[in-house]
């Protein structure tokens, strides 16, 4: 009965019970502090398709701009008629996206359009078709096309006194299999009105520092979880299972459940690219 009393809360000595509770509070507070002061999960990179030294509501002087103006069609050929000039797509803008980890990552691409018609009384709205191409680069292999020129139709609202029109989600990728991507886009039908100013492309992705932090944080607690589980099993081994109370049975169940919650196979999401991983990892 001596060892039985060591695993029953109602028969523990008062100092030992207080010490266990204090340890629990200390670990909980420390985990909360470390978690709240850790790196942000999401990072944002902003790209501008065109950099101009002019007020967004004014007509841009192209001699003072660098980049690709997605708000106008691409230059016409010598024999092109004036009527077909507004129907051609804009020139393509492209950039390269590099990621430290290819696994357990994601990125979303949002597009925000500068409003050149800020002084319009009622604002302006128009339909815009955006062609997006996403290509993955693999060392020693041919590039892999992921979107194949998908066209996204969006309704753009440019309100009065707003420097930027409504933004929209262009594309997203989850569970990245590559580390280097080339993103390009063009506007298939720039509006006849010159409403599009600087185009801002915002890429949101999982912070690599957060990935490392999450990996370390999870496995530190998994280690302590396994230590407590081993101690509990050691203490419980001195009594027959039929003599276990509800406390012992539920604590054992919760300890095993906590091992699964801390996900011992979490590291596989960083080293293996497989459709099976979401089924064996409890965090996916």
């Amino acid at each position: 009965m001596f060892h039985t009393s060591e695993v029953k809360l109602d028969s523990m000595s008062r100092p030992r019970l207080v010490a266990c509770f204090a340890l629990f509070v200390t670990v909980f507070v420390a985990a909360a502090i470390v978690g709240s002061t850790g790196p942000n999960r999401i990072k944002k990179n902003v790209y501008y398709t065109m950099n101009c030294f002019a007020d967004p509501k004014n007509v841009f002087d192209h001699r003072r701009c660098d980049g690709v103006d997605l708000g106008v069609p691409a230059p016409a050929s010598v024999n092109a008629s004036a009527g077909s000039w507004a129907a051609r797509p804009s020139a393509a803008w492209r950039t390269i996206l590099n990621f430290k980890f290819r696994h357990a990552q994601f990125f979303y691409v949002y597009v925000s359009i500068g409003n050149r018609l800020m002084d319009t009384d009622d604002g302006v709205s128009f339909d815009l078709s955006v062609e997006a191409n996403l290509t993955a680069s693999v060392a020693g292999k041919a590039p892999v096309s992921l979107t194949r020129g998908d066209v996204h139709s969006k309704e753009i609202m440019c309100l009065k006194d707003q420097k930027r029109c409504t933004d929209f989600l262009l594309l997203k990728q989850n569970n990245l299999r590559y580390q280097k991507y080339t993103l390009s886009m063009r506007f298939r039908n720039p509006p006849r009105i010159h409403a599009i100013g600087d185009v801002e492309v915002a890429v949101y992705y999982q912070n690599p520092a957060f990935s490392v932090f999450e990996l370390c944080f999870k496995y530190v607690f998994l280690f302590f979880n396994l230590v407590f589980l081993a101690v509990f099993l050691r203490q419980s081994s001195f009594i027959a299972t039929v003599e276990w109370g509800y406390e012992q049975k539920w604590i054992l169940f919760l300890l095993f459940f906590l091992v699964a919650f801390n996900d011992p196979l979490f590291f596989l999401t960083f080293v293996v690219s497989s459709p099976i991983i979401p089924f064996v990892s409890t965090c996916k």
Side-chain angles (χ1 to χ4, degrees):
M1 296 301 296
F2 172 74
H3 294 288
T4 304
S5 63
E6 291 185 337
V7 293
K8 284 189 175 181
L9 295 179
D10 57 356
S11 57
M12 290 177 61
S13 64
R14 184 180 182 87
R16 188 174 182 182
L17 183 60
V18 172
C20 291
F21 182 75
L23 178 62
F24 165 77
V25 173
T26 301
V27 172
F28 178 82
V29 172
I33 294 175
V34 172
S36 61
T37 57
N40 293 328
R41 184 185 183 191
I42 306 299
K43 290 192 71 175
K44 175 184 177 182
N45 286 351
V46 178
Y47 306 88
Y48 292 94
T49 65
M50 198 172 190
N51 295 317
C52 295
F53 304 97
D55 192 280
K57 64 182 179 181
N58 296 330
V59 177
F60 287 167
D61 182 355
H62 285 241
R63 293 170 300 181
R64 304 170 62 190
C65 300
D66 297 319
V68 178
D69 190 351
L70 297 179
V72 298
S77 62
V78 177
N79 297 326
S81 63
S84 63
W85 183 83
R88 292 190 315 278
S90 68
W93 171 85
R94 60 177 46 85
T95 190
I96 295 177
L97 308 176
N98 290 294
F99 299 96
K100 186 174 183 180
F101 297 119
R102 66 172 183 260
H103 303 297
Q105 295 282 312
F106 59 84
F107 69 85
Y108 296 168
V109 179
Y110 281 85
V111 177
S112 174
I113 295 174
N115 184 9
R116 287 185 179 175
L117 303 176
M118 292 175 58
D119 294 333
T120 305
D121 292 339
D122 299 327
V124 64
S125 64
F126 51 90
D127 293 328
L128 186 65
S129 296
V130 185
E131 177 183 338
N133 287 280
L134 186 66
T135 304
S137 300
V138 183
K141 298 182 180 179
V144 180
S145 179
L146 301 177
T147 59
R148 303 182 184 277
D150 293 347
V151 178
H152 308 265
S153 297
K154 306 293 181 180
E155 181 180 2
I156 307 301
M157 298 288 297
C158 302
L159 304 178
K160 181 182 178 181
D161 298 329
Q162 297 292 326
K163 291 185 178 182
R164 309 208 69 83
C165 307
T166 53
D167 61 349
F168 58 89
L169 176 64
L170 180 63
L171 58 86
K172 62 181 179 178
Q173 289 286 311
N174 294 312
N175 299 321
L176 306 188
R177 300 177 58 189
Y178 310 96
Q179 290 180 276
K180 185 177 181 180
Y181 296 82
T182 300
L183 169 66
S184 66
M185 71 174 186
R186 70 172 74 234
F187 292 167
R188 295 288 296 272
N189 58 335
R192 293 179 181 273
I193 54 174
H194 204 54
I196 297 177
D198 281 352
V199 178
E200 176 185 295
V201 181
V203 180
Y204 297 85
Y205 60 97
Q206 183 165 313
N207 185 359
F210 177 84
S211 299
V212 175
F213 173 80
E214 182 182 24
L215 191 67
C216 297
F217 194 86
K218 186 176 293 292
Y219 277 99
V220 166
F221 276 90
L222 178 61
F223 170 76
F224 284 113
N225 185 186
L226 293 175
V227 169
F228 289 136
L229 178 59
V231 171
F232 181 82
L233 290 175
R234 171 63 178 173
Q235 294 287 78
S236 302
S237 64
F238 293 100
I239 59 176
T241 306
V242 294
E243 297 182 12
W244 284 18
Y246 288 109
E247 300 98 326
Q248 289 93 331
K249 294 178 181 178
W250 277 107
I251 289 175
L252 183 63
F253 170 79
L254 292 175
L255 285 174
F256 276 111
F257 185 82
L258 192 57
V259 171
F261 178 78
N262 284 320
D263 196 2
L265 301 179
F266 179 64
F267 74 96
L268 291 177
T269 60
F270 292 91
V271 297
V272 178
S273 179
S274 171
I276 302 177
I277 296 302
F279 297 97
V280 298
S281 175
T282 59
C283 290
K284 300 305 288 177

